[in-house]
Amino acid sequence: METCNHVTKLIVAFCILCMSHGTSLTKIHNKHFNVTKLINIQRTANHHRTANHHRTANHHPMLYFDKDAISGFKHKARTTHAHIVEDLCNARDDILKLRERTMPPGKYSKFAGSWNEIYGNVLPPLAMYLLIYPDDDEVFTFIQDSMDQLTKYPDWLVKNMPTDEVPISHSLIGYATVFDFLYDSFDVKRQQKYLNKIIETTRYMYQKSHQRFWGKCYIQNHAASNMVAILTGAIVASVHTREASRWIKETLTLLEGNMYLLDLIKDGSLNEGVSYGAYTTRTLTQYLFLVKRHFNIDHSKNTWLREHIWFYFSTLLPGFKENVAIADSNRNWWYGPESQLTYLDSFVLRNGWGNWLAGKIRAARQHGISPG
């Protein structure tokens, strides 16, 4: 009994130490993080919204690229990026072939009855495909029907997980991205309905960020997924409403704190397992691109980011097809890691290593299906 008491005391002491260490890190972040950067960001967002308030119909796409970039996509699709377009075409065929699983169901009870991230996840690749092949009416009909159905639902939660907003984040990122990519393809009535849904859902997620743990913590997959969803919805909505500037400012505060703390990790490793780590970096890489594009915040010199490729390389099993499954992981990556590796190569390392490793993993899994 006395031994058990000693063990209990050690556990309690350890927990207190961990809490104290976490508090210290937060204080370090609050002390050193440049909050004036956020003021500039807010001013930029307000100016951006005001300048385009009277010509919003001509201001989409704007999230990841401008309208002028689309002609370049079509040229690259025939030349340097033909292999990526081949993947998009294969994704198009698979998504349409499996429409019973990929099309949002007619009944909300079925949509909310199980994990439903797939309905948001499949939309952006289809939208990107449609920008390159705009005459594919079957794809456009699928996208529009999906958007209409998602708009009708009261929310995007899973019924038996009412306090988990991650399913909403998947739907919101997909929905807002498609709205931005294909804005001119939708009629005026749909444009307004879709915009209202984005604003309503982003506002809901912003409010929940003040109530849930993920709105207050750092380096955790729920925090990354949900906060990047808020940022995505807010950037798209910022062209149409002043309310979005507040969502942007507070989201950046937390996510910039993540990047500050990650910069303290010198070997590129991540506290979560390999699978959950891929979940976190799936949205973090989206975030890094968005803040560079919209707010000129550049993290390419971040120590952790520059070393993160070695986390993927070091956790591979021989053969490049599976990982070591440490912590709460299985032997696969839940998202990617090809997209994360390609991002690292294109925007951080620029030395070919990321694309090389992504290619090896893709080749090793050519007879299977990537979970990402």
Side-chain angles (χ1 to χ4, degrees):
M1 180 65 71
E2 186 176 350
T3 302
C4 290
N5 288 335
H6 285 311
V7 171
T8 302
K9 288 177 182 178
L10 283 171
I11 293 173
V12 171
F14 177 75
C15 290
I16 293 172
L17 179 63
C18 287
M19 290 173 63
S20 174
H21 183 59
T23 304
S24 298
L25 286 177
T26 302
K27 288 179 179 177
I28 291 171
H29 160 252
N30 291 338
K31 178 180 178 182
H32 292 283
F33 181 59
N34 182 8
V35 293
T36 59
K37 185 188 294 183
L38 292 184
I39 296 172
N40 294 334
I41 287 168
Q42 186 176 26
R43 289 174 182 168
T44 301
N46 286 336
H47 174 75
H48 174 73
R49 189 207 65 82
T50 302
N52 294 287
H53 182 70
H54 299 295
R55 53 187 179 92
T56 55
N58 295 322
H59 198 62
H60 293 287
M62 50 78 80
L63 188 61
Y64 289 97
F65 48 81
D66 298 325
K67 188 179 297 185
D68 294 341
I70 296 174
S71 59
F73 296 157
K74 294 177 180 179
H75 173 71
K76 291 175 182 178
R78 299 189 300 270
T79 55
T80 56
H81 290 60
H83 61 292
I84 296 176
V85 176
E86 182 181 357
D87 288 342
L88 282 176
C89 291
N90 291 335
R92 178 255 188 221
D93 294 342
D94 289 341
I95 292 167
L96 295 186
K97 182 171 61 178
L98 301 172
R99 65 177 66 235
E100 289 186 4
R101 291 177 51 200
T102 55
M103 171 69 72
K107 292 184 178 180
Y108 170 72
S109 58
K110 186 175 181 180
F111 171 83
S114 60
W115 192 259
N116 53 38
E117 70 173 75
I118 189 172
Y119 304 115
N121 289 351
V122 300
L123 290 176
L126 284 181
M128 192 69 195
Y129 166 89
L130 201 60
L131 290 176
I132 298 170
Y133 302 107
D135 296 328
D136 194 327
D137 293 336
E138 186 179 4
V139 170
F140 179 73
T141 300
F142 180 96
I143 290 174
Q144 187 165 267
D145 288 349
S146 295
M147 295 285 283
D148 287 347
Q149 194 58 53
L150 287 169
T151 306
K152 292 176 184 176
Y153 296 146
D155 58 59
W156 297 331
L157 286 162
V158 174
K159 186 176 180 181
N160 64 356
M161 304 171 69
T163 60
D164 187 350
E165 284 76 30
V166 169
I168 298 179
S169 74
H170 285 274
S171 294
L172 179 56
I173 288 175
Y175 188 97
T177 302
V178 169
F179 172 82
D180 179 67
F181 283 14
L182 303 181
Y183 184 89
D184 289 343
S185 300
F186 301 126
D187 58 66
V188 174
K189 187 176 180 180
R190 281 189 168 89
Q191 288 173 353
Q192 193 58 51
K193 280 186 175 181
Y194 297 165
L195 174 62
N196 290 343
K197 190 70 171 181
I198 291 169
I199 293 174
E200 170 193 319
T201 307
T202 306
R203 182 187 296 122
Y204 173 86
M205 290 289 283
Y206 171 77
Q207 292 168 348
K208 289 299 178 183
S209 73
H210 291 266
Q211 303 168 18
R212 305 289 194 228
F213 77 93
W214 51 262
K216 306 176 182 67
C217 72
Y218 299 105
I219 316 178
Q220 205 272 346
N221 66 88
H222 284 233
S225 297
N226 292 338
M227 298 305 282
V228 172
I230 295 172
L231 182 64
T232 302
I235 291 174
V236 172
S238 68
V239 186
H240 307 270
T241 175
R242 290 182 181 274
E243 188 179 6
S245 62
R246 182 176 59 185
W247 305 337
I248 290 171
K249 180 181 177 183
E250 294 198 22
T251 304
L252 288 173
T253 299
L254 185 96
L255 291 171
E256 284 300 293
N258 271 269
M259 296 312 301
Y260 175 84
L261 293 174
L262 284 171
D263 191 45
L264 302 176
I265 303 172
K266 304 304 181 184
D267 64 354
S269 62
L270 200 57
N271 61 311
E272 296 183 291
V274 184
S275 297
Y276 263 123
Y279 210 142
T280 300
T281 54
R282 162 188 175 265
T283 41
L284 269 186
T285 48
Q286 293 175 42
Y287 169 76
L288 294 169
F289 185 92
L290 289 172
V291 294
K292 180 66 173 71
R293 171 172 167 77
H294 292 278
F295 311 114
N296 200 31
I297 301 175
D298 185 3
H299 288 288
S300 61
K301 304 300 183 185
N302 183 285
T303 303
W304 172 81
L305 202 59
R306 297 191 67 83
E307 296 295 322
H308 190 51
I309 185 175
W310 301 113
F311 176 73
Y312 290 113
F313 186 80
S314 300
T315 54
L316 276 167
L317 290 175
F320 295 94
K321 191 173 183 178
E322 297 176 321
N323 66 65
V324 296
I326 57 172
D328 48 358
S329 299
N330 56 31
R331 289 189 176 181
N332 225 323
W333 301 268
W334 290 342
Y335 290 94
E338 296 96 325
S339 64
Q340 294 94 320
L341 291 167
T342 299
Y343 173 85
L344 290 173
D345 205 341
S346 300
F347 299 101
V348 181
L349 301 175
R350 301 177 184 274
N351 58 13
W353 294 352
N355 279 318
W356 171 81
L357 188 54
K360 297 291 283 187
I361 293 171
R362 185 180 294 111
R365 300 195 299 194
Q366 63 183 340
H367 299 299
I369 298 176
S370 169

